[in-house]
């Protein structure tokens, strides 16, 4: 994964920008790329039809905030890898109801995603 500067035409495919810190060894469920003023945020679990886990929603919120604060970005585009945009929340761990499952962290993570979209200074499409 690479990280470039914030200038026009550079690409960041590590899913983060600016002040966002992410464990380099963590699986990237959400990717962020910036090119020619467009931040493309890609949900990256095509094998699961891009279902969002609690951590994936955290990554999505972080990417939205990073793109919103990047002066080189004029618009944010959300997309999904594979043939499905997003099939919703990944509830496969819901029966355990522990802190790492969707029921443990998902509702708060979903609120963070919605706030990052609604409060974003850039248009999100």
């Amino acid at each position: 994964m690479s990280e470039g500067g914030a200038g026009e035409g550079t690409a960041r495919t590590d899913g983060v920008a600016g002040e966002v810190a992410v464990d380099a060894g963590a699986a990237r469920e959400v990717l962020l790329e910036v090119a020619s003023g467009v931040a493309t945020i890609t949900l990256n679990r095509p094998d699961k039809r891009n279902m969002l886990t609690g951590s994936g929603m955290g990554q999505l919120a972080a990417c939205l905030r990073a793109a919103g604060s990047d002066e080189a970005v004029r618009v944010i585009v959300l997309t999904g890898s594979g043939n499905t945009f997003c099939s919703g929340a990944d509830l496969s761990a819901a029966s355990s109801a522990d802190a790492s499952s969707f029921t443990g962290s998902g509702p708060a993570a979903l609120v963070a995603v919605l706030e990052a979209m609604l409060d974003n200074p850039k248009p999100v499409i």
Side-chain angles (χ1 to χ4, degrees):
M1 294 185 179
S2 64
E3 181 169 329
E8 189 82 17
T10 61
R12 284 187 298 272
T13 56
D14 61 353
V16 297
E19 75 288 348
V20 181
V22 172
D23 177 7
R28 299 303 312 154
E29 296 180 35
V30 180
L31 306 174
L32 170 62
E33 181 178 15
V34 175
S36 302
V38 177
T40 302
I41 299 174
T42 304
L43 305 181
N44 191 38
R45 291 182 71 202
D47 57 319
K48 298 288 187 179
R49 297 190 180 265
N50 298 318
M51 281 190 286
L52 286 169
T53 62
S55 66
M57 283 186 267
Q59 292 174 26
L60 178 55
C63 287
L64 286 162
R65 286 190 304 272
S69 66
D70 188 337
E71 291 185 20
V73 172
R74 295 186 319 254
V75 64
I76 301 167
V77 176
L78 294 179
T79 189
S81 57
N83 63 3
T84 304
F85 169 64
C86 180
S87 61
D90 185 347
L91 301 176
S92 62
S95 62
S96 65
D98 61 14
S100 64
S101 74
F102 178 78
T103 55
S105 62
L110 179 57
V111 169
V113 168
L114 295 174
E115 287 175 341
M117 292 174 78
L118 293 170
D119 297 339
N120 205 302
K122 311 290 171 64
V124 179
I125 54 175

